[in-house]
Amino acid sequence: MHQPPDTSTDLLRCFSVYIIHLMMLFAYVINNEHMHIRHLICFLISLSAATTIFAGRITLDIEPGVEYRNGLHTFSAKVTNNGDEEATDLTARVKCDGTYNLGSCEILMPDQSAVFCAATSNDNWNTGIRTILFEITYHDRLGYPYSVLATIPLMLDIPEPTNDPIALRASRIKMDKQGTIEVTIQNSWSNAIEGRLTVDLPANLQMKVTNPSVIIKPGEILTKNIDIRNNGAREGSSYALSIIFDYPLNGINRSVSTTAKVRIRPHIDIDRIISGKQFMICAGILAFCLLILSAFRARVALDSRKIGILTDALLLILIILYISAHVPASYLLMDTTTCGGDTPAHNYLASQLKHSLFTDHKISSWAQGWWCGYPSFQYYFPLPYIVISLLSFVIPFNIAFKLVSVAGIFTLPLAVYAATRVMRLQRPIPILSAIAMLPLLFDASHKMWGVNIYSTFAGMISNSISFPIMVLFIASVFRDLMDGKFRLRSTLLLALMLMSHFFTTVIGLLTVAIIPLLRPPCGFKKAALILFAECALGVTLMAWWLIPLIAKSAFAMDFGNNWIVTIMSQLHPLALRCVPLALISLLYGLMDRNRAILLLVWMLVASTLLFYFGYGVSPVFVNVRLWPFMLYSLLILEMAAIGFVAIRLIRSWPVAMAIFIIVITFFIEEPYQVRHWAKWNYEGMESKPLWPVYRDLVMPLAGTKGRLANDLSEKNNSLGSSRIFETTPHLTGKPILEGGLVNSALGSMFSYYIQSETSRDPAGFPTIVKPTTFNMTNATKHLELFNVKHFIARWEGTKSALAAMPQQWRKLNDQSGWELYELTTHEGSYVYIPSNQPCAVAIQAKNLKSDAMRWIYNIGLIDQPFVFLSGDEKTEQFSTVIPESEYRDLTKKNSTNPPAFAGIAITKGARIWDEKLSDISISFKTTGIGLPHIIKVSWFPNWKVRGADAIHIVTPCF
């Protein structure tokens, strides 16, 4: 049985009870001059009634059975899942003088049962009693391995029943990394007994000494200490050990057994979302502070403004504490490699930028780690990774990465509060807006559209950080234009926004563009001039990055399509139920000429229009990327309506407190899942039970030649992510065929096509790619072409195909179902002389990508390279230049021979040596002067050549 420390939805009610009591205490202090001790005692007693309930477990109960008939022993095990989480990959075994498989089951849902059965004959079993051990191994939904044990006695031809002279007992223990079980053996027989003590352990627990022999004197009570070591057992889980003592008695084998319980303590107590003891301590401190405040208030009158400030400060603290409860600092401060979703790839982004920034003094640079090389940060946003690089000089890199990756989550409520204050919205609208960010952050309707916690954990770090910057930028520009003053802060915020994400920049600029039309006090002309000056200066500050981005945009990749999204079904329940309040805000904004409200209405309208029609304008405007902006502006408008009513009817601070309690009680969707994700991501790769798979297969490849490729399998999730191997360049320095940031690399087209040849479930691919079906024969040719020297396989079909090609693939290692192979048909060199003279093709630049894909689709052309010439490139090196139409006709053919026009085959014998690859240069020596040399690195306009006539792009994209 295992019981992960996930919290149930009852956590919301418990947290609400805590908050309600704190608010009651706060209100009491504000409205009464004195606090009596009896009131404080009543408060603490009522607070202690709140408890936290934990749930989320797999409990497998085994009903073992054994039957002897017609010379066969039939073993059976009925396994029932009495937990509330599904178990996967179940395998049943029985152990008795050997191991026998009873069968397997792919998934066992809660309240379901499965029966495993097998028959065997064993003539070597002597007369007596034996203990049969049943073992069920399984995984939870995140890939953690577990096992449960059960025993049953097997009696063979016992002359008569006798009382067992041996009594066996074992202690229960709680442990962290290691612990000791005390086993007591009592001998009530008149003679000494010699036997063997066997301890069978579930998955992830190990024993330092196995199967010790034991001699017990007559009447002796012997104690044996068994040292247990935790080798990846999950904290907070419970395990049952089987302890068996076998001994002979009067020539007959006897056996007794017992069980021992092991509980793995949680890693750190603060890992619990809300600990009653800790919260009581904090509540006591807060109550003491409020007691002092009460005494202070008796002498100094507090006006409504001071009460509002205190209320806002308290609620902001509670908001951050609520987020911290679900994204615990204990995981963020672990020096481990962050994983989960696409996040493994971002480790390489950060470490590669740190290297290029402080070694080559460049932000946008070439990176050899992915996609056969790509222009790092040419098409992606460097701000978060610059911060990680700088911070890693002060604290460990892994911790710096984690803190920056969650910065957007923690700063969003604070930024929204500050922004609404800057826009001069009256209290309690600013604090209500900050509270509204909790439903936005915990929105469970999507996992990768941006801004919410799930998207951040999935790898959208830049998007998460950019959103608070955008909020502050809009507010700052609004304030500048209302005051008629140019302020440098808006320019700096624009530069930061440009450096952090595209969509926030578009929506931010589109939103502020309408401010001069809202009739600001300084007039349209002055407001427009200030807006132009601030934006022009911000864009100028980023010209070093924007100009190359625009100039070389043709070499970026389009990736993604519109999603099928129904707004009413996807919209957060809070936003959906409060839509009438947004209409009230609109009416108020029109009647009262509240420019801030009208600006938020425009933001909602603009993002909605782009949501529906943006993709038709440009493929970059995938509809779901606009979703967070729609939800954000709608939530703020709804909270503004509540604020307007509160200002006029009652005191505002009780309304803010009530809204906070209502939101966290009824409108936070599955918050325990957030904590589950946080633990999975931030405990790191090294804390996963299957970390040895990555450690033993990938880490030894550091310094080896060639690239690494892998079979994309959902089973990789148990290592930390389905894309876990994308962190390989970060951890080992070895380049891989695939990578992250599909938009940034021409090589992604070919890598994903090859992945469709090697995997059952390839990842999403650029829209230009037409994936093929599994074909390891063609894949092997392509992998050699792309200088892949090593390959990791997980799917049984891929492993079988590789094993069937021993002349090409040599198995190096296997770990828990993953297998590492070496491609022996090449030496791992990046430079080679083709067997056929390259043929030049005159193409239009806009057709570069599609023409390159035409070539790789035709496996018969793999030995015939084509050079793509466009514009004013030199052509005198080529005897023939064919038109693009002829090239397209040739690529339609399915011939295994080079085309007749290909010219002369190149004579072999030239030698290439002394290859040196780095992120800024590729050098080599050759005896093949005058011959074409193909370099298995992606082409990009920045490449220049020395020692040769020219450099061209050659198929596929080298």
Side-chain angles (χ1 to χ4, degrees), residues 434-455:
I435 293 170
M437 293 305 99
L438 288 175
L440 176 62
L441 288 171
F442 285 84
D443 185 6
S445 67
H446 64 91
K447 303 297 187 287
M448 54 187 300
W449 297 354
V451 181
N452 66 342
I453 294 177
Y454 295 106
S455 296

Side-chain angles (χ1 to χ4, degrees), residues 486 488 490-492 494-496 498-499 509 531-548 550:
F486 172 91
L488 190 59
S490 300
T491 294
L492 295 177
L494 175 57
L496 293 174
L498 283 165
M499 289 179 66
L509 291 174
L531 177 61
F532 176 79
E534 290 181 343
C535 293
L537 181 56
V539 171
T540 302
L541 289 176
M542 288 299 298
W544 60 271
W545 183 69
L546 289 173
I547 292 176
I550 297 171

Side-chain angles (χ1 to χ4, degrees), residues 118-170:
T120 183
S121 61
N122 195 325
D123 298 332
N124 297 324
W125 289 350
N126 299 324
T127 299
I129 303 174
R130 296 178 179 274
T131 298
I132 308 298
L133 177 70
F134 291 80
E135 180 185 40
I136 310 297
T137 60
Y138 64 97
H139 295 82
D140 66 9
R141 59 186 175 185
L142 290 179
Y144 277 101
Y146 293 92
S147 63
V148 290
L149 307 173
T151 59
I152 188 173
L154 173 63
M155 306 180 68
L156 299 175
D157 300 328
I158 300 297
E160 61 182 61
T162 58
N163 293 328
D164 209 309
I166 294 295
L168 188 66
R169 294 185 299 274

